[in-house]
Amino acid sequence: MPSDERLAVELLARTDYGRVATSMRALPFLAFARHIVADGRVLLRLPRSCGYHRACAGSVVAYGSDNLSSARPGESLWSVQVVGECAAHEPTAAEIERFGPAPRLVDGEPYEPVYLSVEPQFGTVHSTDGGLERHFEHIP
């Protein structure tokens, strides 16, 4: 995996939530998702009731996260995005445990999870003040 993709996946592993982007009926959309990183893939858990998983599975999606709201004073800001093919995923018991507790409701509806897998084909990372370059300079 090239270093940009490796760094993007490494940063995603440091966050719990992000946004998946694709199009539905020719219109772009963003949806929130819980994610974990497993074997270089980004696994997503979304609410079934929203139906976004139907537009994502079998499509190329972008998935991103950041530390914009969690950076401590003086810490550099970063934003990361991976792009890749998305597929339905049947999580293992260990993966479900790593996702942690699910919400009870989403938009007033009982939460029923659906799982997807994104195989990163390329990634982008943006940061302020060169903080990531110093922190991850050991990545080839």
Side-chain angles (χ1 to χ4, degrees), residues 49-137:
S49 61
C50 295
Y52 296 140
H53 63 285
R54 290 190 294 272
C56 294
S59 298
V60 172
V61 302
Y63 187 76
S65 191
D66 56 57
N67 75 338
L68 301 179
S69 65
S70 64
R72 288 172 258 162
E75 185 177 8
S76 66
L77 300 174
W78 55 263
S79 175
V80 60
Q81 170 182 282
V82 294
V83 175
E85 188 171 336
C86 183
H89 180 72
E90 187 64 42
T92 65
E95 289 168 346
I96 290 172
E97 186 174 323
R98 286 185 57 209
F99 273 108
R104 290 183 314 103
L105 301 171
V106 171
D107 297 334
E109 299 283 328
Y111 185 82
E112 181 184 350
V114 63
Y115 297 91
L116 301 171
S117 173
V118 179
E119 187 75 40
Q121 300 301 307
F122 66 90
T124 57
V125 177
H126 299 286
S127 66
T128 60
D129 301 325
L132 290 178
E133 290 79 4
R134 288 189 303 276
H135 186 74
F136 289 100
E137 61 191 359

